[in-house]
Amino acid sequence: MQEEMRQLKEVNKNLRRQIRQRLGDCLENLGFEQLLDLEKESQEAVYIIRERKLKVIGNKLETLKKKVINLGCT
Amino acid sequence: MGRGRVELKRIENKINRQVTFAKRRNGLLKKAYELSVLCDAEVALIIFSNRGKLYEFCSSSSMVKTLEKYHSCSFGSLKGTQPENESQYNYHEYLRLKARVEVLQRSQRNLLGEDLAPLNTKELEQLEHQLETSLRKIRSTKTQSMLNQLAELQRKEQVLAETNKALRNKLEENAQEFPRQMWEANAQTIPYNPLPTHSDEFFQPLGLNTAMHNSFNGLRYNPIGSDEMNVAGVNANNHNGLFPGWML
């Protein structure tokens, strides 16, 4: 149990550090190569998220359009 | 079973509540018994009805015995003694930490563009905005780092260029000191004549002091080499006279 606690704390610490970096903080500790990797990952994530967002909004639009048509208010 | 969807809250209707209690109580006692038999587990079940009536089941010979076992087990203790309190506190801490880690892991995955399904439009928008801001910071840090590297390399280039220039000047001075005929006549075994000692200062910026001296001193021209040297020596394009262009 003690060991698990210690490991959990370690995982906690690492995760917080990583998340901070992904949010653009504490970048000084990163080497140049790592900085490039981080940029690439973040860029790709932005693409994915934007796509997902547009899809969700698009679906909502479609659903509402159909509802409006069904209500006969074209 | 499953005929009607039951909402999980207190049954308002008194009779339904009583009936349900009886049915489910029996079912639960039966399950406890089955569990203890099927899986060889020591199972104890305690139920107090709404009015306070006790219903119990125990797989072992004595409920008291099983309860004692329960008491001596750290996390389940009802007693208020110090070590047991601490264990319970630790356990709660552990659970809290575990929950926090799970939240962090979820955030991390979101920042990677994973597990986006539960997020609504607003949350997706926020996430996108967060990442865009962070990308700006990452890129500006990157650019700054590259500019620093560039400045460093430019500085090095300048130092090396100056060193080269100084070396070249020194060699030209020495070339004028040595007559050209002597160079060609002794083509077979010309050892490299070391530059005057104060040339050390030219080698220092590069930190090659001894190393360079040794490598030059080690040069002995064989016939093949010297032919090339001769050719180079008489070559009008050779500004230096002492060393052919390819050696600089």
Side-chain angles (χ1 to χ4, degrees), chain B residues 90-121:
Chain B
N90 282 344
Y91 186 57
H92 285 150
E93 279 305 297
Y94 173 76
L95 286 178
R96 215 176 304 157
L97 188 62
K98 195 144 183 267
R100 217 176 301 161
V101 165
E102 275 167 27
V103 168
L104 287 176
Q105 276 169 343
R106 195 172 55 82
S107 297
Q108 162 93 316
R109 293 182 74 86
N110 285 347
L111 286 170
L112 282 169
E114 295 169 13
D115 294 352
L116 298 175
L119 298 178
N120 66 28
T121 313

PDB file of all heavy atoms in Angstrom, chain B residues 90-121:
ATOM      1  N   ASN B  90      -5.213   7.187   5.808  1.00  0.00           N
ATOM      2  CA  ASN B  90      -4.344   6.900   4.663  1.00  0.00           C
ATOM      3  C   ASN B  90      -5.138   6.370   3.485  1.00  0.00           C
ATOM      4  O   ASN B  90      -4.900   6.722   2.348  1.00  0.00           O
ATOM      5  CB  ASN B  90      -3.273   5.880   5.063  1.00  0.00           C
ATOM      6  CG  ASN B  90      -2.168   6.535   5.859  1.00  0.00           C
ATOM      7  OD1 ASN B  90      -2.057   7.747   5.857  1.00  0.00           O
ATOM      8  ND2 ASN B  90      -1.373   5.743   6.537  1.00  0.00           N
ATOM      9  N   TYR B  91      -6.079   5.501   3.801  1.00  0.00           N
ATOM     10  CA  TYR B  91      -6.874   4.912   2.734  1.00  0.00           C
ATOM     11  C   TYR B  91      -7.659   5.980   2.007  1.00  0.00           C
ATOM     12  O   TYR B  91      -7.735   6.002   0.788  1.00  0.00           O
ATOM     13  CB  TYR B  91      -7.805   3.850   3.313  1.00  0.00           C
ATOM     14  CG  TYR B  91      -8.566   3.085   2.277  1.00  0.00           C
ATOM     15  CD1 TYR B  91      -7.902   2.394   1.271  1.00  0.00           C
ATOM     16  CD2 TYR B  91      -9.956   3.047   2.290  1.00  0.00           C
ATOM     17  CE1 TYR B  91      -8.588   1.689   0.316  1.00  0.00           C
ATOM     18  CE2 TYR B  91     -10.657   2.335   1.334  1.00  0.00           C
ATOM     19  CZ  TYR B  91      -9.971   1.656   0.352  1.00  0.00           C
ATOM     20  OH  TYR B  91     -10.659   0.957  -0.589  1.00  0.00           O
ATOM     21  N   HIS B  92      -8.236   6.921   2.778  1.00  0.00           N
ATOM     22  CA  HIS B  92      -8.978   8.015   2.149  1.00  0.00           C
ATOM     23  C   HIS B  92      -8.053   8.879   1.303  1.00  0.00           C
ATOM     24  O   HIS B  92      -8.423   9.298   0.204  1.00  0.00           O
ATOM     25  CB  HIS B  92      -9.675   8.872   3.213  1.00  0.00           C
ATOM     26  CG  HIS B  92     -10.884   8.211   3.786  1.00  0.00           C
ATOM     27  ND1 HIS B  92     -11.321   8.417   5.065  1.00  0.00           N
ATOM     28  CD2 HIS B  92     -11.750   7.319   3.253  1.00  0.00           C
ATOM     29  CE1 HIS B  92     -12.398   7.697   5.293  1.00  0.00           C
ATOM     30  NE2 HIS B  92     -12.693   7.017   4.216  1.00  0.00           N
ATOM     31  N   GLU B  93      -6.868   9.128   1.841  1.00  0.00           N
ATOM     32  CA  GLU B  93      -5.881   9.896   1.089  1.00  0.00           C
ATOM     33  C   GLU B  93      -5.568   9.194  -0.224  1.00  0.00           C
ATOM     34  O   GLU B  93      -5.477   9.816  -1.282  1.00  0.00           O
ATOM     35  CB  GLU B  93      -4.581  10.038   1.905  1.00  0.00           C
ATOM     36  CG  GLU B  93      -4.627  11.117   2.943  1.00  0.00           C
ATOM     37  CD  GLU B  93      -4.999  12.458   2.331  1.00  0.00           C
ATOM     38  OE1 GLU B  93      -4.248  12.976   1.498  1.00  0.00           O
ATOM     39  OE2 GLU B  93      -6.059  12.988   2.687  1.00  0.00           O
ATOM     40  N   TYR B  94      -5.388   7.895  -0.118  1.00  0.00           N
ATOM     41  CA  TYR B  94      -5.072   7.092  -1.292  1.00  0.00           C
ATOM     42  C   TYR B  94      -6.171   7.213  -2.333  1.00  0.00           C
ATOM     43  O   TYR B  94      -5.904   7.439  -3.518  1.00  0.00           O
ATOM     44  CB  TYR B  94      -4.878   5.635  -0.856  1.00  0.00           C
ATOM     45  CG  TYR B  94      -4.717   4.666  -1.986  1.00  0.00           C
ATOM     46  CD1 TYR B  94      -3.519   4.578  -2.689  1.00  0.00           C
ATOM     47  CD2 TYR B  94      -5.766   3.824  -2.367  1.00  0.00           C
ATOM     48  CE1 TYR B  94      -3.369   3.676  -3.727  1.00  0.00           C
ATOM     49  CE2 TYR B  94      -5.620   2.927  -3.396  1.00  0.00           C
ATOM     50  CZ  TYR B  94      -4.418   2.850  -4.073  1.00  0.00           C
ATOM     51  OH  TYR B  94      -4.286   1.958  -5.089  1.00  0.00           O
ATOM     52  N   LEU B  95      -7.409   7.084  -1.884  1.00  0.00           N
ATOM     53  CA  LEU B  95      -8.534   7.171  -2.813  1.00  0.00           C
ATOM     54  C   LEU B  95      -8.599   8.550  -3.462  1.00  0.00           C
ATOM     55  O   LEU B  95      -8.845   8.676  -4.657  1.00  0.00           O
ATOM     56  CB  LEU B  95      -9.852   6.892  -2.079  1.00  0.00           C
ATOM     57  CG  LEU B  95     -10.118   5.435  -1.707  1.00  0.00           C
ATOM     58  CD1 LEU B  95     -11.427   5.306  -0.949  1.00  0.00           C
ATOM     59  CD2 LEU B  95     -10.153   4.554  -2.943  1.00  0.00           C
ATOM     60  N   ARG B  96      -8.358   9.571  -2.639  1.00  0.00           N
ATOM     61  CA  ARG B  96      -8.413  10.932  -3.160  1.00  0.00           C
ATOM     62  C   ARG B  96      -7.341  11.140  -4.223  1.00  0.00           C
ATOM     63  O   ARG B  96      -7.596  11.701  -5.288  1.00  0.00           O
ATOM     64  CB  ARG B  96      -8.240  11.929  -2.017  1.00  0.00           C
ATOM     65  CG  ARG B  96      -9.067  13.200  -2.222  1.00  0.00           C
ATOM     66  CD  ARG B  96      -8.943  14.104  -1.028  1.00  0.00           C
ATOM     67  NE  ARG B  96      -9.320  13.431   0.218  1.00  0.00           N
ATOM     68  CZ  ARG B  96      -8.887  13.832   1.406  1.00  0.00           C
ATOM     69  NH1 ARG B  96      -8.078  14.854   1.517  1.00  0.00           N
ATOM     70  NH2 ARG B  96      -9.250  13.182   2.497  1.00  0.00           N
ATOM     71  N   LEU B  97      -6.125  10.681  -3.898  1.00  0.00           N
ATOM     72  CA  LEU B  97      -5.019  10.816  -4.841  1.00  0.00           C
ATOM     73  C   LEU B  97      -5.316  10.071  -6.132  1.00  0.00           C
ATOM     74  O   LEU B  97      -5.068  10.569  -7.237  1.00  0.00           O
ATOM     75  CB  LEU B  97      -3.731  10.276  -4.204  1.00  0.00           C
ATOM     76  CG  LEU B  97      -2.449  10.509  -4.988  1.00  0.00           C
ATOM     77  CD1 LEU B  97      -2.189  11.987  -5.145  1.00  0.00           C
ATOM     78  CD2 LEU B  97      -1.274   9.864  -4.284  1.00  0.00           C
ATOM     79  N   LYS B  98      -5.874   8.867  -5.962  1.00  0.00           N
ATOM     80  CA  LYS B  98      -6.202   8.058  -7.131  1.00  0.00           C
ATOM     81  C   LYS B  98      -7.186   8.806  -8.023  1.00  0.00           C
ATOM     82  O   LYS B  98      -7.027   8.856  -9.241  1.00  0.00           O
ATOM     83  CB  LYS B  98      -6.810   6.729  -6.667  1.00  0.00           C
ATOM     84  CG  LYS B  98      -6.879   5.660  -7.717  1.00  0.00           C
ATOM     85  CD  LYS B  98      -6.618   4.275  -7.091  1.00  0.00           C
ATOM     86  CE  LYS B  98      -6.611   3.212  -8.165  1.00  0.00           C
ATOM     87  NZ  LYS B  98      -7.932   2.600  -8.356  1.00  0.00           N
ATOM     88  N   ALA B  99      -8.197   9.415  -7.397  1.00  0.00           N
ATOM     89  CA  ALA B  99      -9.198  10.148  -8.166  1.00  0.00           C
ATOM     90  C   ALA B  99      -8.563  11.326  -8.889  1.00  0.00           C
ATOM     91  O   ALA B  99      -8.857  11.606 -10.055  1.00  0.00           O
ATOM     92  CB  ALA B  99     -10.309  10.629  -7.240  1.00  0.00           C
ATOM     93  N   ARG B 100      -7.652  12.016  -8.189  1.00  0.00           N
ATOM     94  CA  ARG B 100      -6.986  13.158  -8.793  1.00  0.00           C
ATOM     95  C   ARG B 100      -6.177  12.726 -10.007  1.00  0.00           C
ATOM     96  O   ARG B 100      -6.179  13.380 -11.043  1.00  0.00           O
ATOM     97  CB  ARG B 100      -6.081  13.832  -7.765  1.00  0.00           C
ATOM     98  CG  ARG B 100      -6.064  15.353  -7.900  1.00  0.00           C
ATOM     99  CD  ARG B 100      -5.236  15.980  -6.813  1.00  0.00           C
ATOM    100  NE  ARG B 100      -5.718  15.663  -5.477  1.00  0.00           N
ATOM    101  CZ  ARG B 100      -4.975  15.778  -4.383  1.00  0.00           C
ATOM    102  NH1 ARG B 100      -3.749  16.208  -4.454  1.00  0.00           N
ATOM    103  NH2 ARG B 100      -5.467  15.465  -3.209  1.00  0.00           N
ATOM    104  N   VAL B 101      -5.477  11.605  -9.858  1.00  0.00           N
ATOM    105  CA  VAL B 101      -4.675  11.094 -10.966  1.00  0.00           C
ATOM    106  C   VAL B 101      -5.553  10.778 -12.160  1.00  0.00           C
ATOM    107  O   VAL B 101      -5.202  11.075 -13.301  1.00  0.00           O
ATOM    108  CB  VAL B 101      -3.875   9.850 -10.531  1.00  0.00           C
ATOM    109  CG1 VAL B 101      -3.343   9.115 -11.737  1.00  0.00           C
ATOM    110  CG2 VAL B 101      -2.725  10.238  -9.633  1.00  0.00           C
ATOM    111  N   GLU B 102      -6.725  10.212 -11.887  1.00  0.00           N
ATOM    112  CA  GLU B 102      -7.628   9.881 -12.993  1.00  0.00           C
ATOM    113  C   GLU B 102      -8.071  11.139 -13.734  1.00  0.00           C
ATOM    114  O   GLU B 102      -8.145  11.154 -14.962  1.00  0.00           O
ATOM    115  CB  GLU B 102      -8.838   9.101 -12.460  1.00  0.00           C
ATOM    116  CG  GLU B 102      -8.551   7.601 -12.344  1.00  0.00           C
ATOM    117  CD  GLU B 102      -9.584   6.858 -11.537  1.00  0.00           C
ATOM    118  OE1 GLU B 102     -10.738   7.338 -11.494  1.00  0.00           O
ATOM    119  OE2 GLU B 102      -9.237   5.816 -10.958  1.00  0.00           O
ATOM    120  N   VAL B 103      -8.353  12.185 -12.974  1.00  0.00           N
ATOM    121  CA  VAL B 103      -8.741  13.449 -13.593  1.00  0.00           C
ATOM    122  C   VAL B 103      -7.611  13.983 -14.467  1.00  0.00           C
ATOM    123  O   VAL B 103      -7.825  14.422 -15.605  1.00  0.00           O
ATOM    124  CB  VAL B 103      -9.123  14.474 -12.508  1.00  0.00           C
ATOM    125  CG1 VAL B 103      -9.248  15.846 -13.106  1.00  0.00           C
ATOM    126  CG2 VAL B 103     -10.408  14.074 -11.824  1.00  0.00           C
ATOM    127  N   LEU B 104      -6.395  13.920 -13.924  1.00  0.00           N
ATOM    128  CA  LEU B 104      -5.237  14.405 -14.675  1.00  0.00           C
ATOM    129  C   LEU B 104      -5.046  13.595 -15.958  1.00  0.00           C
ATOM    130  O   LEU B 104      -4.757  14.161 -17.023  1.00  0.00           O
ATOM    131  CB  LEU B 104      -3.974  14.316 -13.822  1.00  0.00           C
ATOM    132  CG  LEU B 104      -3.860  15.347 -12.700  1.00  0.00           C
ATOM    133  CD1 LEU B 104      -2.613  15.079 -11.876  1.00  0.00           C
ATOM    134  CD2 LEU B 104      -3.791  16.744 -13.266  1.00  0.00           C
ATOM    135  N   GLN B 105      -5.215  12.288 -15.841  1.00  0.00           N
ATOM    136  CA  GLN B 105      -5.029  11.459 -17.026  1.00  0.00           C
ATOM    137  C   GLN B 105      -6.036  11.819 -18.107  1.00  0.00           C
ATOM    138  O   GLN B 105      -5.703  11.853 -19.297  1.00  0.00           O
ATOM    139  CB  GLN B 105      -5.159   9.973 -16.653  1.00  0.00           C
ATOM    140  CG  GLN B 105      -3.872   9.403 -16.131  1.00  0.00           C
ATOM    141  CD  GLN B 105      -4.031   8.032 -15.500  1.00  0.00           C
ATOM    142  OE1 GLN B 105      -5.133   7.623 -15.162  1.00  0.00           O
ATOM    143  NE2 GLN B 105      -2.936   7.331 -15.347  1.00  0.00           N
ATOM    144  N   ARG B 106      -7.250  12.103 -17.640  1.00  0.00           N
ATOM    145  CA  ARG B 106      -8.278  12.479 -18.617  1.00  0.00           C
ATOM    146  C   ARG B 106      -7.911  13.782 -19.299  1.00  0.00           C
ATOM    147  O   ARG B 106      -8.002  13.908 -20.524  1.00  0.00           O
ATOM    148  CB  ARG B 106      -9.634  12.567 -17.914  1.00  0.00           C
ATOM    149  CG  ARG B 106     -10.801  12.599 -18.869  1.00  0.00           C
ATOM    150  CD  ARG B 106     -12.101  12.479 -18.107  1.00  0.00           C
ATOM    151  NE  ARG B 106     -12.213  13.507 -17.065  1.00  0.00           N
ATOM    152  CZ  ARG B 106     -12.614  14.751 -17.298  1.00  0.00           C
ATOM    153  NH1 ARG B 106     -12.956  15.115 -18.501  1.00  0.00           N
ATOM    154  NH2 ARG B 106     -12.676  15.608 -16.303  1.00  0.00           N
ATOM    155  N   SER B 107      -7.440  14.766 -18.522  1.00  0.00           N
ATOM    156  CA  SER B 107      -7.028  16.043 -19.100  1.00  0.00           C
ATOM    157  C   SER B 107      -5.919  15.853 -20.113  1.00  0.00           C
ATOM    158  O   SER B 107      -5.922  16.425 -21.206  1.00  0.00           O
ATOM    159  CB  SER B 107      -6.518  16.986 -18.009  1.00  0.00           C
ATOM    160  OG  SER B 107      -7.540  17.271 -17.103  1.00  0.00           O
ATOM    161  N   GLN B 108      -4.947  15.025 -19.724  1.00  0.00           N
ATOM    162  CA  GLN B 108      -3.805  14.756 -20.593  1.00  0.00           C
ATOM    163  C   GLN B 108      -4.292  14.178 -21.916  1.00  0.00           C
ATOM    164  O   GLN B 108      -3.853  14.596 -22.994  1.00  0.00           O
ATOM    165  CB  GLN B 108      -2.877  13.767 -19.873  1.00  0.00           C
ATOM    166  CG  GLN B 108      -1.888  13.052 -20.757  1.00  0.00           C
ATOM    167  CD  GLN B 108      -0.574  13.756 -20.811  1.00  0.00           C
ATOM    168  OE1 GLN B 108      -0.517  14.964 -20.941  1.00  0.00           O
ATOM    169  NE2 GLN B 108       0.498  13.001 -20.727  1.00  0.00           N
ATOM    170  N   ARG B 109      -5.180  13.215 -21.847  1.00  0.00           N
ATOM    171  CA  ARG B 109      -5.665  12.588 -23.075  1.00  0.00           C
ATOM    172  C   ARG B 109      -6.407  13.607 -23.937  1.00  0.00           C
ATOM    173  O   ARG B 109      -6.273  13.631 -25.166  1.00  0.00           O
ATOM    174  CB  ARG B 109      -6.574  11.403 -22.738  1.00  0.00           C
ATOM    175  CG  ARG B 109      -5.834  10.253 -22.065  1.00  0.00           C
ATOM    176  CD  ARG B 109      -6.767   9.097 -21.801  1.00  0.00           C
ATOM    177  NE  ARG B 109      -7.072   8.400 -23.029  1.00  0.00           N
ATOM    178  CZ  ARG B 109      -6.317   7.434 -23.541  1.00  0.00           C
ATOM    179  NH1 ARG B 109      -5.208   7.078 -22.932  1.00  0.00           N
ATOM    180  NH2 ARG B 109      -6.667   6.851 -24.657  1.00  0.00           N
ATOM    181  N   ASN B 110      -7.193  14.466 -23.290  1.00  0.00           N
ATOM    182  CA  ASN B 110      -7.894  15.497 -24.042  1.00  0.00           C
ATOM    183  C   ASN B 110      -6.936  16.415 -24.755  1.00  0.00           C
ATOM    184  O   ASN B 110      -7.152  16.801 -25.910  1.00  0.00           O
ATOM    185  CB  ASN B 110      -8.793  16.316 -23.102  1.00  0.00           C
ATOM    186  CG  ASN B 110     -10.033  15.561 -22.704  1.00  0.00           C
ATOM    187  OD1 ASN B 110     -10.364  14.548 -23.287  1.00  0.00           O
ATOM    188  ND2 ASN B 110     -10.736  16.062 -21.693  1.00  0.00           N
ATOM    189  N   LEU B 111      -5.845  16.763 -24.062  1.00  0.00           N
ATOM    190  CA  LEU B 111      -4.850  17.655 -24.665  1.00  0.00           C
ATOM    191  C   LEU B 111      -4.130  16.985 -25.829  1.00  0.00           C
ATOM    192  O   LEU B 111      -3.431  17.644 -26.578  1.00  0.00           O
ATOM    193  CB  LEU B 111      -3.837  18.109 -23.619  1.00  0.00           C
ATOM    194  CG  LEU B 111      -4.370  19.155 -22.634  1.00  0.00           C
ATOM    195  CD1 LEU B 111      -3.395  19.364 -21.498  1.00  0.00           C
ATOM    196  CD2 LEU B 111      -4.613  20.468 -23.347  1.00  0.00           C
ATOM    197  N   LEU B 112      -4.272  15.681 -25.922  1.00  0.00           N
ATOM    198  CA  LEU B 112      -3.672  14.973 -27.041  1.00  0.00           C
ATOM    199  C   LEU B 112      -4.701  14.728 -28.147  1.00  0.00           C
ATOM    200  O   LEU B 112      -4.398  14.127 -29.163  1.00  0.00           O
ATOM    201  CB  LEU B 112      -3.106  13.625 -26.578  1.00  0.00           C
ATOM    202  CG  LEU B 112      -1.776  13.704 -25.853  1.00  0.00           C
ATOM    203  CD1 LEU B 112      -1.438  12.381 -25.196  1.00  0.00           C
ATOM    204  CD2 LEU B 112      -0.663  14.079 -26.822  1.00  0.00           C
ATOM    205  N   GLY B 113      -5.920  15.209 -27.901  1.00  0.00           N
ATOM    206  CA  GLY B 113      -6.960  15.008 -28.894  1.00  0.00           C
ATOM    207  C   GLY B 113      -7.650  13.666 -28.765  1.00  0.00           C
ATOM    208  O   GLY B 113      -8.327  13.218 -29.681  1.00  0.00           O
ATOM    209  N   GLU B 114      -7.462  13.001 -27.606  1.00  0.00           N
ATOM    210  CA  GLU B 114      -8.078  11.685 -27.420  1.00  0.00           C
ATOM    211  C   GLU B 114      -9.276  11.776 -26.491  1.00  0.00           C
ATOM    212  O   GLU B 114      -9.419  12.716 -25.722  1.00  0.00           O
ATOM    213  CB  GLU B 114      -7.054  10.720 -26.807  1.00  0.00           C
ATOM    214  CG  GLU B 114      -5.892  10.427 -27.719  1.00  0.00           C
ATOM    215  CD  GLU B 114      -4.778   9.688 -26.972  1.00  0.00           C
ATOM    216  OE1 GLU B 114      -5.014   9.197 -25.855  1.00  0.00           O
ATOM    217  OE2 GLU B 114      -3.671   9.614 -27.520  1.00  0.00           O
ATOM    218  N   ASP B 115     -10.154  10.781 -26.567  1.00  0.00           N
ATOM    219  CA  ASP B 115     -11.318  10.677 -25.683  1.00  0.00           C
ATOM    220  C   ASP B 115     -12.159  11.945 -25.692  1.00  0.00           C
ATOM    221  O   ASP B 115     -12.529  12.463 -24.640  1.00  0.00           O
ATOM    222  CB  ASP B 115     -10.875  10.394 -24.234  1.00  0.00           C
ATOM    223  CG  ASP B 115     -10.220   9.041 -24.110  1.00  0.00           C
ATOM    224  OD1 ASP B 115     -10.251   8.281 -25.111  1.00  0.00           O
ATOM    225  OD2 ASP B 115      -9.669   8.744 -23.043  1.00  0.00           O
ATOM    226  N   LEU B 116     -12.450  12.469 -26.871  1.00  0.00           N
ATOM    227  CA  LEU B 116     -13.183  13.732 -26.944  1.00  0.00           C
ATOM    228  C   LEU B 116     -14.689  13.542 -26.878  1.00  0.00           C
ATOM    229  O   LEU B 116     -15.442  14.502 -26.800  1.00  0.00           O
ATOM    230  CB  LEU B 116     -12.820  14.453 -28.248  1.00  0.00           C
ATOM    231  CG  LEU B 116     -11.343  14.835 -28.398  1.00  0.00           C
ATOM    232  CD1 LEU B 116     -11.104  15.428 -29.770  1.00  0.00           C
ATOM    233  CD2 LEU B 116     -10.938  15.821 -27.319  1.00  0.00           C
ATOM    234  N   ALA B 117     -15.124  12.274 -26.928  1.00  0.00           N
ATOM    235  CA  ALA B 117     -16.566  11.990 -27.014  1.00  0.00           C
ATOM    236  C   ALA B 117     -17.430  12.668 -25.949  1.00  0.00           C
ATOM    237  O   ALA B 117     -18.453  13.250 -26.259  1.00  0.00           O
ATOM    238  CB  ALA B 117     -16.787  10.483 -27.008  1.00  0.00           C
ATOM    239  N   PRO B 118     -17.034  12.617 -24.660  1.00  0.00           N
ATOM    240  CA  PRO B 118     -17.910  13.204 -23.651  1.00  0.00           C
ATOM    241  C   PRO B 118     -17.935  14.727 -23.630  1.00  0.00           C
ATOM    242  O   PRO B 118     -18.745  15.318 -22.938  1.00  0.00           O
ATOM    243  CB  PRO B 118     -17.330  12.675 -22.333  1.00  0.00           C
ATOM    244  CG  PRO B 118     -15.921  12.363 -22.638  1.00  0.00           C
ATOM    245  CD  PRO B 118     -15.878  11.926 -24.055  1.00  0.00           C
ATOM    246  N   LEU B 119     -17.088  15.364 -24.414  1.00  0.00           N
ATOM    247  CA  LEU B 119     -17.014  16.815 -24.351  1.00  0.00           C
ATOM    248  C   LEU B 119     -18.096  17.469 -25.198  1.00  0.00           C
ATOM    249  O   LEU B 119     -18.332  17.061 -26.340  1.00  0.00           O
ATOM    250  CB  LEU B 119     -15.629  17.286 -24.837  1.00  0.00           C
ATOM    251  CG  LEU B 119     -14.434  16.808 -24.015  1.00  0.00           C
ATOM    252  CD1 LEU B 119     -13.147  17.304 -24.621  1.00  0.00           C
ATOM    253  CD2 LEU B 119     -14.539  17.266 -22.572  1.00  0.00           C
ATOM    254  N   ASN B 120     -18.708  18.515 -24.636  1.00  0.00           N
ATOM    255  CA  ASN B 120     -19.705  19.237 -25.428  1.00  0.00           C
ATOM    256  C   ASN B 120     -19.022  20.336 -26.237  1.00  0.00           C
ATOM    257  O   ASN B 120     -17.822  20.551 -26.151  1.00  0.00           O
ATOM    258  CB  ASN B 120     -20.796  19.805 -24.524  1.00  0.00           C
ATOM    259  CG  ASN B 120     -20.262  20.888 -23.591  1.00  0.00           C
ATOM    260  OD1 ASN B 120     -19.297  21.577 -23.896  1.00  0.00           O
ATOM    261  ND2 ASN B 120     -20.903  21.031 -22.451  1.00  0.00           N
ATOM    262  N   THR B 121     -19.817  21.025 -27.028  1.00  0.00           N
ATOM    263  CA  THR B 121     -19.260  22.024 -27.938  1.00  0.00           C
ATOM    264  C   THR B 121     -18.437  23.069 -27.196  1.00  0.00           C
ATOM    265  O   THR B 121     -17.328  23.427 -27.594  1.00  0.00           O
ATOM    266  CB  THR B 121     -20.390  22.724 -28.704  1.00  0.00           C
ATOM    267  OG1 THR B 121     -21.286  21.741 -29.205  1.00  0.00           O
ATOM    268  CG2 THR B 121     -19.825  23.527 -29.852  1.00  0.00           C
TER     269      THR B 121
END
